[in-house]
Amino acid sequence: MSSPGFFARIKLLNPSHSVVKDTDALRIGMLGAANIGPPALIGAAKHLPSIIVVSVAARDPVKAKAYADKNGIPNTHASYDALIADPEIDCIYNPLPNGLHYEWTRKALEAGKHVLLEKPATSNEAQAKDLVAFAQSKNLVLLEAFHFRFHPASIKFRELVQTHVASGHPIQKVKAVMAFPTFFGLDDIRFNYKLAGGINMDAGCYTINSIRYFSGLEVESVEAAKPKIVAENIDGRMEATLRLKGGAEAKLIASLTNPWFSVKTYQEIFPKFTVETDDKIFTFGVFVLPAVYHYIAVTDKATGKTETLPKQYDGGFSTYKYQLEAFVKAVKSGNNKDVINAIPGWVSGEDTIANMKVVDDVYKKAGMILRE
Ligand SMILES: NC(=O)C1=CN([C@@H]2O[C@H](COP(=O)(O)OP(=O)(O)OC[C@H]3O[C@@H](n4cnc5c(N)ncnc54)[C@H](OP(=O)(O)O)[C@@H]3O)[C@@H](O)[C@H]2O)C=CC1
Ligand SMILES: O=C1OC[C@@H](O)[C@H](O)[C@H]1O
């Protein structure tokens, strides 16, 4: 398949035209006129014949209508409740602020809808356990949107690391960095404690998930956690050290408050993931947004030589397109575990719970209160 260039890949995030839809395409509705909706759902669905974004609900119906018109969504609902209750809708996309993930996902599951749920799944581990068990009891698909995992570059990187580990080179160190300058004001949902904000929830949940996913190792304990407090109970930057099962050390840096005028800010500006064994260092540059740009490199520690792998853009599609494709496959399978377990990158319920546990443990170690 051809590999489109940078601008073509950006265009593919939300193409102007949609493919022709299947007659039995899934019908999905959106809770909230969210900023992330166009790339994460609306644009992704335009590539897929098997799913149609049929409606959006917002707290203000006028806002919902304007969002629907702008994004080519045929219907709106007057409230989140009305959207969830609509029998013509099969699944729900929940991109509400973190603190509303649990409540509205539970309501959607109660109504028998499958849910694609934005990260982090819930405010804390206890809520995640309840939600996952509830989805399982209803035989419904619940997918936490760790979109980066579904991209061919992520799949390749994980395979590369795991193959090397399996050949007798256990992981010694891991590091995940997702540290941006101050893109959002302190009035953003990301810094609102009542909405379960905090950087450990936002970029932090990605770093934790990537550590667990690429290493294939669960977290034994959180050894240290250093927050930069930017508002009451709100971390704007978090650095943490984790001990993984088997003894490897993992470090994470998550930030959305790096100063614009600082060299360090630009050293950290591209998300970066590294894995070190006795003999090699594996690097995955821009691991969170590999469709925009990425690089995968392997350095031999003895010789210092670095080999860079060919780019893995495939058709140039976004992480969100691959994620939505996986979600549709899971729903269409009737939540069949054999089908789901064979989907590369799939985020299982157990995975979601384990991730929220580490998020909680980082807050505890940092001496901060959990999100509610
Ligand atoms: N997968 C990814 O790449 C990304 C994921 N995210 C995740 O998606 C979620 C939403 O992020 P983003 O789109 O940036 O958020 P927005 O600021 O766009 O907010 C999303 C929606 O939340 C609704 N909302 C409901 N109650 C409140 C409230 N009390 N205060 C503010 N908003 C409220 C609004 O809905 P209404 O329209 O009804 O008013 C708004 O449209 C987060 O969980 C975030 O972590 C965010 C960015 C990237
Ligand atoms: O992908 C992302 O990057 C920036 C974050 O603030 C956002 O919530 C996250 O999902």
Side-chain angles (χ1 to χ4, degrees), residues 238-250:
M238 180 72 80
E239 292 187 25
T241 305
L242 319 177
R243 187 64 53 198
L244 304 182
K245 294 226 158 92
E249 179 188 88

Side-chain angles (χ1 to χ4, degrees), residues 36 98 118-120 145-147 178 180 183-184 188-191 199 201-206 255-256 271 288-289 320:
I36 190 57
N98 305 338
E118 268 309 335
K119 41 56 60 179
F146 280 119
H147 55 102
M178 185 173 175
F180 299 121
F183 287 142
F184 303 98
D188 189 83
I189 58 165
R190 286 160 183 78
F191 301 117
I199 196 64
M201 296 286 287
D202 188 66
C205 78
Y206 274 114
S255 180
L256 258 180
V288 182
L289 293 167
Y320 305 114

